[in-house]
Amino acid sequence: MKFSKKSEYALRALLELTAQYGRALLQRHEIAKRQHIPIEFLEQILLALKNAGLLASRRGVSGGYSLIKPPDEITLGQVIRILDGPLAPIGCVSKTAYQKCSDCPYVKKGSCPIQDVMGGVRNAIAEILDNYTLRDFAGQATRQ
Amino acid sequence: MKFSKKSEYALRALLELTAQYGRALLQRHEIAKRQHIPIEFLEQILLALKNAGLLASRRGVSGGYSLIKPPDEITLGQVIRILDGPLAPIGCVSKTAYQKCSDCPYVKKGSCPIQDVMGGVRNAIAEILDNYTLRDFAGQATRQ
DNA sequence: TCTATTCTAAACTGAATTACTCAACTATTA
DNA sequence: TAATAGTTGAGTAATTCAGTTTAGAATAGA
């Protein structure tokens, strides 16, 4: 039940990009340095965030990355789903990527005890992460 | 953020053992058949549950497994921690297996935005799973 | 236009984990 | 003592994780 390093690094990178929002572009080596993230690995992550429509980038001498949307319109749930896939602890309770169980004996019965509990767990997780934006998140970081 | 098959099979096996609680021993092949679990894999799981003190077993002709504690004293949280380790989404917010972050720039600052959110997520998960017992769980299954 | 800089894209790698499987045991009972 | 049933440990194929490498394409400035 762990989030991957990718998700963690993505959130840390977005912390930097949020602090920089509305100002100059931020380069990957700067993000890597400030957050202690291996730069080649960070590249992959920034690319994924870009392809998912969260970041814009420019190449060349004064290139870099920037947030494409206001920080209060991006939730941690969105970010984590990009890097780690669905939040649900088992496939059959995912709302964004539902998968039918193949071998569960309760499938036919209409109600499955595991599904009931895990549905609750999924909702509890999503409730937090889908309502927590990058602005809330970066606010925590800069408050002090 | 998924639970393993081990955890899922463990919960399904415990559903059978809970229904059988206070009655005769239940054999692994019977559990395997009813829940469609590969028997050799199930063995491993039952053994882990036994070593963790949840099950008793007897060998020989009329052997089998049984719950060693009343179903309302075993929570899903306990079971999942046995098979999958801590519930926390990152090591630095685990209460049962805390691990200090090595490279996080917020370590020194006394407050980390990731830790704050993920702590909330951990608590939300634990709140559900540590308060849901096998009795609640099996009640769901037999109610209909 | 040349060149240094920066992002892009994909393949690659070593280590760990997952989900099983197998084989050889030991204990129990009829 | 034979059959049954749990115990233990090792093995394995497939996948995932975390990170590296390499080659390329866009951009700005000289």
Side-chain angles (χ1 to χ4, degrees), chain B residues 73-104:
Chain B
E73 288 179 20
I74 301 175
T75 68
L76 302 202
Q78 281 173 53
V79 175
I80 291 173
R81 284 196 193 87
I82 292 166
L83 283 316
D84 269 4
L87 300 179
I90 54 174
C92 66
V93 300
S94 173
K95 287 189 179 149
T96 59
Y98 172 79
Q99 272 200 316
K100 197 172 69 179
C101 318
S102 54
D103 57 358
C104 171

Side-chain angles (χ1 to χ4, degrees), chain A residues 95-142:
Chain A
K95 287 191 179 146
T96 59
Y98 173 80
Q99 272 200 315
K100 196 172 69 178
C101 318
S102 53
D103 57 358
C104 172
Y106 303 95
V107 163
K108 303 160 197 162
K109 300 198 183 172
S111 143
C112 167
I114 296 193
Q115 217 167 7
D116 293 344
V117 191
M118 294 307 165
V121 172
R122 188 227 92 106
N123 289 340
I125 298 171
E127 181 69 24
I128 295 173
L129 296 178
D130 286 336
N131 289 299
Y132 206 86
T133 70
L134 285 185
R135 189 170 66 177
D136 306 325
F137 190 47
Q140 286 281 331
T142 54

Side-chain angles (χ1 to χ4, degrees), chain B residues 27-28 50 57 59-61 64-65:
Chain B
Q27 296 182 344
R28 48 182 196 155
K50 188 196 163 180
S57 64
R59 306 193 198 192
V61 174
Y65 295 88

Side-chain angles (χ1 to χ4, degrees), chain A:
Chain A
M1 269 301 275
K2 282 227 172 110
F3 291 124
S4 68
K5 277 292 184 190
K6 266 191 182 173
S7 275
E8 192 198 317
Y9 290 158
L11 293 177
R12 301 232 304 258
L14 286 167
L15 230 33
E16 298 295 334
L17 285 159
T18 300
Q20 191 76 6
Y21 182 65
R23 305 161 68 189
L25 297 179
L26 199 55
Q27 297 181 344
R28 55 189 188 146
H29 71 224
E30 187 59 30
I31 299 174
K33 197 178 71 182
R34 290 194 206 159
Q35 291 285 340
H36 310 137
I37 303 172
I39 191 163
E40 301 89 350
F41 196 34
L42 177 62
E43 261 171 36
Q44 257 184 57
I45 294 164
L46 292 172
L47 231 4
L49 293 174
K50 188 199 164 181
N51 292 334
L54 265 57
L55 302 183
S57 64
R58 216 176 54 215
R59 306 190 199 195
V61 173
S62 51
Y65 295 89
S66 62
L67 275 186
I68 218 171
K69 289 198 280 187
D72 59 354
E73 289 178 20
I74 302 176
T75 69
L76 302 202
Q78 283 172 53
V79 175
I80 290 173
R81 284 196 192 85
I82 292 166
L83 284 315
D84 270 4
L87 300 179
I90 54 174
C92 65
V93 301
S94 173
K95 287 191 179 146
T96 59
Y98 173 80
Q99 272 200 315
K100 196 172 69 178
C101 318
S102 53
D103 57 358
C104 172
Y106 303 95
V107 163
K108 303 160 197 162
K109 300 198 183 172
S111 143
C112 167
I114 296 193
Q115 217 167 7
D116 293 344
V117 191
M118 294 307 165
V121 172
R122 188 227 92 106
N123 289 340
I125 298 171
E127 181 69 24
I128 295 173
L129 296 178
D130 286 336
N131 289 299
Y132 206 86
T133 70
L134 285 185
R135 189 170 66 177
D136 306 325
F137 190 47
Q140 286 281 331
T142 54
R143 178 141 49 232
Q144 55 178 176

